[in-house]
Amino acid sequence: MTAAWDRPAPELAAETRPNVAGMGLEALRALVAELGESAFRAAQIHHGLYQQRWTRWEQFSSLSVSLRARLQAATRLQWPELCDSIGSQDGATKHAFRMEDGSLVEGVHMPYSDRVTLCLSSQVGCAMGCTFCATGLMGIKRNLAAFEIAGQVVTMLGAHGHAETEPVNLVFMGMGEPLHNLDQVMAAFALLTDPKGMALSPRRITLSTSGLVSGIQRLAAYPRRPRLALSLNATTDAYRDRIMPVNKAWNLAALAAALKAFPLERGERITLEYVLLQGVTDSLEDGRRLATFAKQFPSKVNLIPFNPHEGSGFAPPSEQRIEELCALLAARGLTVSVRRSRGQDVAGACGQLVRRKPQG
Ligand code: SAH
Ligand code: SF4
């Protein structure tokens, strides 16, 4: 007998087992074929993954114990890991997810009486560099893969318990610029809306962009796509240039042209998000220009009082100004809502939870 120390100790194993989380039916068919199983098993796994949203092989009661054991040995089933959650007084919960490479992103779960809304991240960090945004200050680390995007939904619905009949709204308003990662965002959209899978309604999914016109044009070409929201945030090129660098590539006129050309379904409207920064974007003049911009295509306006974060140098508007702007826009026939930032007491603004944690 040789002693254990006479042989070299094992090295860190490179993970080669495929991750089943996020696999579509075709990939599952190939997987079960390799295990010598019939295609029917792939459909059962698909059903378990996306309709039951099971996250451990033990839960797949439709499969035999021996097949579960073989799947366990040959594959991984790993959605993004929930590593931190903070509940807010208003019912929202802010979650931090750790990806396999240690990257952290965040998502928010917001329950309402008639639905639940989940705010999702599309990238680790963001390349767009908006000066008021905590994520913008981090810079870009990488794109999220489709399963890491869809996985935020699976994980949050699982953590909060979710009745199948309760509608789910998704907004891509967490970290990242979704049009800068359109391929993976649309692959996640396909997974999430697959009628044989999670079957979420495409009409309840909204993609928010800072105004990447090339991406808006690409999105317009998809026959099935999420709804579009634009973060307008300023009403003159001089101010928009200052707070959103993307405006130097596509200014307000280029944006308006892209939105006018965007093919809308009957009744569909483009949401214009408008962050109110005191003394920068919240004048009554801004309100009038915002109304003029919004009238160029079917739209609705969502005013977002700035959610302060350390070192931003911006402040939220007064309550009185919010009301004045609402009245001004409504008087011009626009549909207007105010987003009272949920989870503000738990660092609810985009990118703030993750910024407090060291990046892996
Ligand atoms: N990158 C995309 C989606 C993520 S940001 C986009 O910019 O649209 C989602 C929304 O949060 C945007 O409308 C953005 O303008 C807004 N936002 C970012 N930081 C904010 C803050 N500190 N307070 C209020 N809104 C903020
Ligand atoms: Fe990126 Fe949106 Fe933040 Fe701008 S506002 S830096 S586009 S996440």
Side-chain angles (χ1 to χ4, degrees):
M1 278 286 281
T2 55
W5 54 82
D6 284 332
R7 294 184 298 274
E11 304 298 335
L12 174 67
E15 185 54 86
T16 52
R17 292 177 302 163
N19 191 355
V20 174
M23 276 190 187
L25 202 48
E26 243 169 68
L28 290 171
R29 283 207 187 105
L31 177 81
V32 297
E34 254 175 57
L35 296 176
E37 295 282 337
S38 74
F40 177 63
R41 299 287 166 224
Q44 284 181 315
I45 297 173
H46 191 269
H47 184 269
L49 279 174
Y50 303 113
Q51 291 206 325
Q52 307 286 349
R53 295 198 292 272
W54 286 328
T55 54
R56 286 172 290 113
W57 286 121
E58 305 91 88
Q59 294 171 299
F60 284 67
S61 47
S62 50
L63 306 175
S64 70
V65 175
S66 80
L67 178 54
R68 278 185 252 167
R70 278 188 293 144
L71 284 164
Q72 179 97 48
T75 68
R76 291 173 295 139
L77 174 42
Q78 195 155 4
W79 293 108
E81 179 202 346
L82 255 187
C83 64
D84 198 1
S85 305
I86 311 179
S88 158
Q89 278 165 9
D90 60 19
T93 310
K94 184 101 174 169
H95 294 288
F97 300 96
R98 195 192 312 280
M99 303 299 155
E100 282 183 277
D101 66 351
S103 295
L104 297 171
V105 298
E106 61 191 38
V108 188
H109 177 274
M110 292 168 278
Y112 294 89
S113 56
D114 59 343
R115 64 176 192 278
V116 57
T117 297
L118 305 178
C119 177
L120 307 179
S121 291
S122 57
Q123 298 180 307
V124 186
C126 184
M128 306 309 290
C130 305
T131 55
F132 54 86
C133 171
T135 308
L137 300 177
M138 290 168 54
I140 179 78
K141 184 168 168 191
R142 68 169 173 87
N143 282 333
L144 290 180
F147 87 95
E148 294 174 316
I149 297 170
Q152 296 167 54
V153 179
V154 173
T155 312
M156 281 195 272
L157 292 181
H160 289 269
H162 179 261
E164 234 171 76
T165 49
E166 191 184 10
V168 178
N169 285 10
L170 301 180
V171 293
F172 281 93
M173 295 181 190
M175 294 168 73
E177 166 52 56
L179 292 184
H180 189 212
N181 184 20
L182 189 58
D183 292 341
Q184 296 299 319
V185 166
M186 290 309 286
F189 175 81
L191 264 179
L192 293 162
T193 59
D194 177 357
K196 291 212 175 87
M198 292 183 65
L200 301 189
S201 163
R203 295 202 172 129
R204 291 180 173 274
I205 303 180
T206 301
L207 182 160
S208 170
T209 180
S210 57
L212 212 51
V213 165
S214 55
I216 294 175
Q217 289 163 343
R218 276 190 64 204
L219 183 67
Y222 279 86
R224 284 177 87 248
R225 53 156 181 81
R227 304 234 145 163
L228 184 63
L230 170 80
S231 300
L232 184 65
N233 296 352
T235 61
T236 64
D237 281 322
Y239 273 102
R240 203 164 190 273
D241 279 354
R242 257 177 62 186
I243 59 172
M244 302 185 76
V246 66
N247 200 65
K248 293 176 193 152
W250 289 284
N251 64 13
L252 288 168
L255 262 181
L259 297 180
K260 278 196 257 183
F262 196 76
L264 298 177
E265 277 177 26
R266 186 189 291 272
E268 183 182 359
R269 291 189 283 177
I270 294 172
T271 303
L272 292 178
E273 299 163 274
Y274 192 87
V275 176
L276 295 166
L277 306 169
Q278 189 180 71
V280 185
T281 63
D282 72 340
S283 71
L284 297 178
E285 231 7 272
D286 281 315
R288 286 187 274 275
R289 283 189 295 254
L290 171 53
T292 307
F293 189 91
K295 292 247 162 176
Q296 299 177 90
F297 43 84
S299 69
K300 54 187 172 184
V301 175
N302 189 215
L303 298 176
I304 315 175
F306 176 66
N307 197 341
H309 52 95
E310 219 176 299
S312 72
F314 295 105
S318 67
E319 278 303 313
Q320 189 192 333
R321 182 46 56 91
I322 298 172
E323 276 165 33
E324 286 166 348
L325 286 168
C326 273
L328 184 157
L329 294 164
R332 282 162 174 74
L334 291 161
T335 306
V336 52
S337 56
V338 180
R339 189 187 311 160
R340 300 287 167 187
S341 180
R342 298 192 85 190
Q344 197 156 357
D345 53 324
V346 293
C350 179
Q352 285 179 42
L353 181 65
V354 162
R355 268 185 90 219
R356 292 193 343 214
K357 301 177 74 70
Q359 282 283 305

